[in-house]
Amino acid sequence: MSVQNLPLAKAINLGLQAAMAADPKVLLMGEDIGTLGGVFRVTEGLKTEFGEHRVLDTPLAESGIVGSAIGLAMRGYRPVVEIQFDGFIYPAFDQITSQLAKMTFRHEGALSMPVVIRVPYGGHIGAVEHHQESPEAYFAHTPGLRLVSPSNPHDAYWMIQEAIASNDPVMFFEPKSRYWPKGDVDMSASGYPLHASRVVREGTDVTLVGHGAMVSMMLQAADVAAGEGTSIEVIDLRSISPIDYAPILSSVAKTGRLVVAQEAPGFASVGSEIAATVHERSFYLLEAPVLRVSAFDTPFPPAKQEAVYLPDADRILDAVDRALSY
Amino acid sequence: MPFQSRYVDGVSSSADDTMVQLLTPEGKFKPSASAEEFLPYFEKLTDADYRKFYREMVTVRRYDTEATNLQRQGQLALWVPSHGQEGAQVGSAFATKDQDHIFPAYREHAIAHIRGVDLINIIRQFKGFTHGGWNPFDPKHKNFHIYTLVIGSHALHSTGYAMGIKFDGATNTGKPDKDEAVIVYFGDGATSQGDVSEAFVFAASYQTPQVFFIQNNHWAISVPVSVQARVPLYTRGEGFGVPGTQIDGNDVFASFAVTAKHMDDARSGKGPSLIEAHTYRIGAHTSSDDPTKYRSDAELQDWIKKDPIARLETFLKASGTEEKFFAEVHQEAADFAADIRRRTVELTGLDSSSMFDSVYSEPHVLMDEQRQWLAAYDASFEEEAQA
Ligand SMILES: Cc1ncc(C[n+]2csc(CCOP(=O)(O)OP(=O)(O)O)c2C)c(N)n1
Ligand SMILES: [Mg+2]
């Protein structure tokens, strides 16, 4: 059977396995990813299958992991790095933004950097500080990096393989709250290129766009809205950098209203970028300003406050109502 | 000639013959040769101190067990057990003076308790009520700083604090009861972080009044210490100019005596130094972890035999402490845990708008706008409910 029903974490696991089997230069690096299989078990079984030289339980140092992945890439390897949690990526910030991102440019194209950085990101898991953040915007702001984020197991399976196949650095944001729900994975074909966004629900009144865990939240909001007679089109961004604007602009041409939803704080965010671009390109087609639904501009608060901090279906619907009120 | 390491693969995790030990795992007072320079500090201790150490270790272990159970019962989001590391923590904490500053990682519950932190505050953190939990600058917390979850980052903070002490002339004045020093705790895994190496560099460069205390519990989640270090960690600082001592971290006397000397050296102008305490995390890394996936039961059993509490108990009994004392301590610990349980269950209430309150020290327009927005948004639901 070419369709399998899998949790997103397992889909990435199988995608990694396929990439490693296809190319002996693909290797995995990270903290606790080998014997333990990662704290989310995304790499479970891969050390046993491919050996300790393909799956590295590294010393505890994120800058060291990314920096040495750069050297390995120079040597012809295709490292896939796991950062254990979103909030622990910052010790590697220099290696990612000043080194990994700029190596190709600095070498005037003589060198490519096929490094993937997997980041379990986002909230909804009630964890302690540094374990629920959405740091995409820092990296989206850095030329030289590609950023993608699958929202479902099918995309996860294919996008991880496409990210590994890319000769540019790809940051792969995994919505950790979506690791466990299962979905159908068509093992025979991806269906979409890595950097394509995609309409996941058609509608006529308002367009919603977002990525990762926000996609299921938007679909939930669309269901509620449908019950109230509002028809919502939902777009799964899939790629954060570059952004595939064509489906967004054609949707806006139809609905005239756009709400961008994200788990990250709104100030200087990916949502801000989308809002600005859509205003520039579709000004005369808009019936209402593009609205953003984001987390508040505070640090991710203690778990008891996360339900208030993170945007939910109600907050999305509130923005939908405001968009419709113009 | 090629460099020949004294230490072969994996041996870095075992103790070497310089390890300072006063109390053997069997509870015999038998100081190692390397203990000699530290004995004067031990000799200052009285029977009452020994019992205080014992009481503290038993109380915090009982607390730790209670918190582990509370987590299993859904009361806490996460728990980080300290079981097994009480010797290293209790000995070293009692070796500090009130004016000293302590920078913990996140497993130092016994030290928190000794410095006066109400341990419900650690529960509040792991129940999702706070990222901190106490004010280190409130005198009742005796300069015990809040936990740090980003591995190794606080090593630099502790060094900066120690630089400040030195710049202020608040150390090395010849008054040991006033002169300040700093101690920072982190694990074997943390030693790999660049921040920790940079802290060694700064500490040596500025000759800070500071002790780096490594609790080598042999694991960083599933990764053995041999991945982090191919030489014993007490030697890690040498090349930076931060000399080290290795101790049996499950020997509360060694931890006390060695820390007391290192802190005295720090406060008397001898610069930064390091202690590597050999210990073991008996429990899981956290309540989310399953240690059977990566370590053997034989290894665990081996370390259980080196338990810090059992060996002190044997020592105390052999030196005439009555049964009554032990019964009392265990009763007190049980009462302490019961009180923690009751207060954990009773913890409630966290005003959602408080998240805007302490992002900045001074007023900030975004915080004001978003606080107001949230209030209006919440009110709109109430209106809807009434309509
Ligand atoms: C910068 C950073 N990376 C990763 C983590 C995830 N993490 C939490 S604890 C831990 C292991 C720490 O080991 P060690 O320093 O030996 O301390 P121990 O937990 O054993 O006391 C890891 C990798 C983190 N908290 N911070
Ligand atoms: Mg450790």
Side-chain angles (χ1 to χ4, degrees):
Chain A
M1 253 295 273
S2 74
V3 175
Q4 289 187 32
N5 195 252
L6 302 168
L8 191 148
K10 182 66 184 171
I12 297 174
N13 178 275
L14 293 180
L16 290 169
Q17 185 191 39
M20 293 179 80
D23 182 352
K25 290 295 186 188
V26 174
L27 54 81
L28 312 188
M29 307 171 70
E31 295 157 8
D32 305 287
I33 66 165
T35 309
L36 188 65
V39 296
F40 292 106
R41 305 295 186 266
V42 171
T43 53
E44 186 142 56
L46 298 177
K47 181 175 168 187
T48 311
E49 183 174 346
F50 294 99
E52 62 181 3
H53 296 292
R54 301 284 303 282
V55 181
L56 279 60
D57 265 325
T58 64
L60 205 179
E62 289 75 12
S63 178
I65 296 169
V66 176
S68 58
I70 291 171
L72 281 158
M74 288 175 169
R75 178 72 193 178
Y77 286 87
R78 304 184 83 84
V80 182
V81 163
E82 175 176 303
I83 298 294
Q84 198 162 81
F85 283 90
D86 33 59
F88 302 138
I89 198 167
Y90 308 114
F93 199 78
D94 171 69
Q95 288 294 348
I96 297 172
T97 57
S98 283
Q99 308 307 329
L100 181 62
K102 296 173 184 158
M103 274 296 168
T104 299
F105 190 68
R106 194 174 293 143
H107 284 83
E108 296 169 326
L111 178 75
S112 49
M113 274 286 125
V115 175
V116 175
I117 302 186
R118 297 182 35 242
V119 190
Y121 88 99
H124 303 291
I125 65 162
V128 290
E129 198 184 359
H130 319 294
H131 292 72
Q132 307 212 76
E133 300 178 7
S134 296
E136 304 90 287
Y138 292 119
F139 302 102
H141 193 65
T142 303
L145 300 175
R146 296 172 182 273
L147 275 66
V148 299
S149 181
S151 69
N152 60 72
H154 174 85
D155 280 351
Y157 175 73
W158 287 107
M159 287 167 74
I160 189 66
Q161 296 180 65
E162 291 156 359
I164 294 169
S166 169
N167 286 327
D168 287 323
V170 179
M171 301 198 59
F172 194 82
F173 288 92
E174 303 173 3
K176 68 173 90 78
S177 65
R178 305 298 303 170
Y179 269 148
W180 304 285
K182 288 185 176 179
D184 282 346
V185 179
D186 182 344
M187 313 296 279
S188 63
S190 153
Y192 294 86
L194 181 61
H195 292 294
S197 58
R198 168 164 113 76
V199 175
V200 291
R201 177 186 174 118
E202 293 192 6
T204 52
D205 299 334
V206 179
T207 305
L208 285 179
V209 61
H211 68 270
M214 198 43 87
V215 175
S216 58
M217 202 68 86
M218 295 189 300
L219 289 169
Q220 216 179 302
D223 274 342
V224 176
E228 295 167 358
T230 304
S231 166
I232 289 186
E233 181 143 305
V234 178
I235 297 178
D236 180 352
L237 199 56
R238 295 173 85 251
S239 177
I240 300 166
S241 179
I243 289 171
D244 175 18
Y245 278 107
I248 302 172
L249 297 176
S250 54
S251 180
V252 168
K254 179 169 63 174
T255 61
R257 294 178 165 86
L258 177 63
V259 173
V260 190
Q262 57 189 357
E263 272 188 49
F267 189 85
S269 62
V270 173
S272 310
E273 177 61 29
I274 295 174
T277 304
V278 172
H279 280 129
E280 282 170 3
R281 298 194 192 171
S282 301
F283 187 69
Y284 291 108
L285 299 172
L286 288 169
E287 304 285 344
V290 178
L291 299 177
R292 285 168 296 158
V293 180
S294 318
F296 294 110
D297 288 299
T298 73
F300 202 105
K304 293 282 179 199
Q305 288 173 326
E306 82 171 82
V308 177
Y309 172 79
L310 289 172
D312 58 4
D314 279 337
R315 286 240 286 273
I316 295 172
L317 289 168
D318 175 73
V320 165
D321 286 348
R322 279 185 283 137
L324 285 167
S325 71
Y326 280 86
Chain B
M1 205 175 84
F3 174 71
Q4 265 275 296
S5 174
R6 225 160 27 108
Y7 311 103
V8 289
D9 198 5
V11 173
S12 61
S13 66
S14 62
D16 78 23
D17 53 11
T18 66
M19 184 172 85
V20 177
Q21 184 184 70
L22 277 66
L23 203 52
T24 69
E26 296 74 35
K28 289 225 166 55
F29 186 76
K30 206 171 134 220
S32 60
S34 56
E36 201 178 315
E37 60 177 313
F38 304 102
L39 286 177
Y41 287 89
F42 172 75
E43 281 152 11
K44 288 185 205 152
L45 295 174
T46 63
D47 284 357
D49 290 320
Y50 306 160
R51 288 198 291 268
K52 182 173 75 176
F53 290 2
Y54 180 82
R55 173 178 283 115
E56 193 60 44
M57 290 199 286
V58 168
T59 303
V60 172
R61 180 165 299 177
R62 188 67 187 76
Y63 164 79
D64 188 67
T65 306
E66 197 65 34
T68 299
N69 293 338
L70 283 161
Q71 195 282 332
R72 286 195 186 125
Q73 291 153 13
Q75 279 290 326
L76 306 184
L78 185 77
W79 186 245
V80 182
S82 54
H83 186 154
Q85 299 182 210
E86 298 89 347
Q89 296 187 9
V90 168
S92 62
F94 277 125
T96 58
K97 295 183 189 290
D98 282 4
Q99 73 271 22
D100 294 336
H101 276 256
I102 301 188
F103 289 76
Y106 44 75
R107 210 184 281 288
E108 282 67 59
H109 313 325
I111 306 171
H113 191 230
I114 289 166
R115 297 299 283 196
V117 173
D118 180 347
L119 293 190
I120 195 67
N121 288 319
I122 297 175
I123 300 259
R124 286 173 59 235
Q125 177 171 27
F126 291 110
K127 200 172 172 169
F129 281 87
T130 173
H131 288 329
W134 58 91
N135 174 5
F137 303 99
D138 178 335
K140 74 172 182 255
H141 300 135
K142 291 199 190 127
N143 311 324
F144 186 76
H145 290 253
I146 58 175
Y147 279 180
T148 308
L149 303 189
V150 179
I151 301 293
S153 57
H154 61 307
L156 277 165
H157 311 160
S158 73
T159 296
Y161 199 92
M163 287 161 63
I165 289 175
K166 194 168 176 202
F167 298 164
D168 289 344
T171 191
N172 192 25
T173 67
K175 298 194 197 86
D177 288 325
K178 285 229 166 64
D179 287 341
E180 296 176 33
V182 168
I183 184 167
V184 55
Y185 291 85
F186 48 83
D188 44 294
T191 61
S192 291
Q193 286 287 3
D195 278 6
V196 170
S197 284
E198 291 177 27
F200 291 154
V201 171
F202 275 65
S205 191
Y206 292 94
Q207 287 295 295
T208 51
Q210 163 171 42
V211 175
F212 295 92
F213 195 105
I214 304 173
Q215 288 178 82
N216 176 0
N217 64 8
H218 290 77
W219 292 93
I221 310 187
S222 70
V223 180
V225 61
S226 55
V227 171
Q228 321 289 349
R230 294 296 175 99
V231 299
L233 283 171
Y234 77 93
T235 67
R236 174 63 66 89
E238 267 168 27
F240 292 96
V242 182
T245 303
Q246 185 182 56
I247 66 169
D248 179 344
N250 285 4
D251 169 3
V252 69
F253 291 161
S255 182
F256 175 82
V258 172
T259 308
K261 173 154 186 354
H262 277 250
M263 288 295 275
D264 260 11
D265 287 355
R267 80 179 81 254
S268 58
K270 298 205 176 73
S273 66
L274 178 157
I275 297 169
E276 180 205 3
H278 263 255
T279 183
Y280 198 75
R281 145 166 82 64
I282 297 295
H285 170 69
T286 67
S287 50
S288 306
D289 176 43
D290 173 9
T292 63
K293 289 211 166 238
Y294 53 80
R295 67 185 191 187
S296 72
D297 189 54
E299 179 183 292
L300 175 63
Q301 295 311 324
D302 206 41
W303 277 97
I304 288 175
K305 287 190 209 121
K306 301 180 195 165
D307 186 71
I309 298 181
R311 76 173 77 174
L312 183 59
E313 188 164 319
T314 308
F315 171 82
L316 288 174
K317 283 182 176 161
S319 49
T321 308
E322 289 171 15
E323 275 306 328
K324 198 170 125 252
F325 164 76
F326 298 102
E328 270 168 24
V329 167
H330 282 275
Q331 188 54 51
E332 276 170 35
D335 293 346
F336 183 85
D339 181 58
I340 286 287
R341 164 171 290 273
R342 179 184 57 73
R343 291 160 72 204
T344 301
V345 175
E346 283 171 5
L347 281 175
T348 49
L350 183 61
D351 178 7
S352 54
S353 71
S354 71
M355 76 175 99
F356 302 108
D357 294 349
S358 46
V359 181
Y360 302 91
S361 292
E362 294 175 3
H364 189 287
V365 62
L366 265 185
M367 299 302 101
D368 296 340
E369 280 172 18
Q370 295 185 6
R371 185 189 287 107
Q372 278 167 25
W373 184 89
L374 179 59
Y377 177 74
D378 285 344
S380 73
F381 283 93
E382 280 157 33
E383 279 160 26
E384 237 170 69
Q386 278 162 12

